[in-house]
Amino acid sequence: MPAMHSLPPAHRPLEDALALGPALLARARSAEAAPWLAASLVEGPAVVLGAAQRAARVVDLAACAARGAKVLRRATTGTAAFLGGRGVVWTLALPHVASLAPDATARTLLNRNVRGFLKGFSRAGAPAHYFGREWISLQRRPAALLGLDAAPDGAVLIEVFAGHDAALALPPELAAPDERAVDRWLGKVPAALSDVVPARSSLEALARAVVEGIATWAALPLIDGGEAPELAAERFQPITAPDDPVPPGASAAALARVPIGWIEAAALSDVPPARVWLGGDVLTARWLLDALGSGEVPLDAEASPLEGATLADLSALARRALAPGRAPEG
């Protein structure tokens, strides 16, 4: 009988919580092909960048260091989350896009699979809604941030971040100018979990309620996943290089505005075969960004999730990054 495999909510270093994503995705892609779910109770202060966000375009690394806020990078794409104190990271790994929602497709991935989180938050006493793209609204305020990645074989990783003691919005004094230019929250004031969840609910109880809500929504029994997997936490250590994750020797970044914020490109070479690093705030699969950076739109591009920009946006920026004589930007 199909089941949802789960690790019980546990306190974890933030680096371990981020490393849990690839580890559970590997389990979801195994021969058993079952969905996996975990909740990690974490501590900040820290900024968690999306997998494809160039550090210096999002944060002022010196200001973060002065405040004692680590800058880390997660495995999922999307926008940055700020954890000012205690927080929760939920990790959901699926063997394929329709594992929980039979009508889900690559382009409706978040719309369908976020519904379990909405049920979980609501059962914890915080009515939840999702209006698209990268955040969940609790009590009509942005309060949880989404990240996603997908493997070429269709397996999916979704991460949800929420701060308990402080809202997840990046404080202006820690943000780079390009980041401050974006209205991430559509004029709304982001909330901490402590602002929108009943005070009687502990953070661990909230984390568990969301896990149980997802399983209930999916109509799957929740079974103990046993021992936690071995984690490659060394991949998720603090970032100190301004251009991380752009490879060394790349050209200056080219920027373009898109509905979700910014996309970025940098030429890795100007001799055939020309290659481009593509990144930014977009919610998509990292393999798709790599493929588009090679100059071709793969035949299965439509089978990859893409939120906040279009294939045409990304391809056009990649071509511009390779244009002779392009003035540096970013």
Side-chain angles (χ1 to χ4, degrees):
M1 177 181 179
M4 174 81 73
H5 296 249
S6 176
L7 300 179
H11 291 270
R12 294 184 177 91
L14 184 51
E15 292 86 345
D16 285 5
L18 299 179
L20 198 56
L24 293 190
L25 186 62
R27 287 192 171 185
R29 297 173 71 189
S30 68
E32 194 170 358
W36 279 82
L37 178 60
S40 301
L41 309 180
V42 298
E43 297 269 355
V47 177
V48 182
L49 298 175
Q53 290 185 301
R54 183 170 57 89
R57 200 262 308 156
V58 181
V59 294
D60 181 329
L61 288 171
C64 291
R67 181 163 171 169
K70 297 183 290 189
V71 179
L72 306 173
R73 184 178 305 286
R74 62 184 188 261
T76 52
T77 58
T79 60
F82 177 68
L83 296 171
R86 291 176 297 162
V88 186
V89 181
W90 287 274
T91 307
L92 176 63
L94 307 175
H96 58 85
V97 68
S99 296
L100 304 184
D103 63 339
T105 67
R107 296 303 166 85
T108 63
L109 167 63
L110 287 178
N111 179 276
R112 296 299 188 271
N113 286 289
V114 79
R115 295 174 184 179
F117 289 95
L118 302 185
K119 186 175 185 68
F121 282 121
S122 295
R123 72 184 286 165
H129 299 87
Y130 176 63
F131 303 106
R133 281 216 300 267
E134 76 270 42
W135 47 266
I136 293 171
S137 173
L138 303 182
Q139 303 278 21
R140 302 183 183 276
R141 295 174 62 184
L145 189 84
L146 296 158
L148 73 82
D149 192 22
D153 63 7
V156 170
L157 175 63
I158 297 173
E159 293 177 309
V160 178
F161 299 83
H164 182 269
D165 304 318
L168 49 79
L170 187 62
E173 65 271 17
L174 302 185
D178 287 326
E179 182 65 17
R180 293 198 299 269
V182 179
D183 178 12
R184 293 269 175 227
W185 316 108
L186 305 179
K188 299 181 182 296
V189 179
L193 292 175
S194 59
D195 297 327
V196 294
V197 174
R200 67 180 182 276
S201 178
S202 71
L203 192 56
E204 185 172 350
L206 168 65
R208 182 176 292 106
V210 172
V211 168
E212 293 172 350
I214 294 168
T216 299
W217 165 78
L220 291 176
L222 196 63
I223 65 172
D224 189 340
E227 292 186 7
E230 185 174 344
L231 302 176
E234 65 277 2
R235 290 177 46 195
F236 298 91
Q237 296 306 303
I239 292 167
T240 57
D243 284 333
D244 186 279
V246 182
S251 66
L255 297 175
R257 282 299 298 266
V258 291
I260 201 171
W262 296 100
I263 53 175
E264 307 178 74
L268 302 180
S269 67
D270 54 5
V271 296
R275 292 181 56 245
V276 171
W277 172 84
L278 273 176
D281 302 327
V282 64
L283 285 154
T284 191
R286 287 180 293 162
W287 74 261
L288 180 62
L289 294 175
D290 292 342
L292 294 173
S294 69
E296 296 183 5
V297 178
L299 293 176
D300 53 354
E302 295 295 336
S304 176
L306 181 60
E307 297 275 353
T310 66
L311 289 171
D313 292 329
L314 292 164
S315 296
L317 186 61
R319 290 192 298 271
R320 184 151 65 87
L322 291 170
R326 179 183 63 80
E329 301 179 58

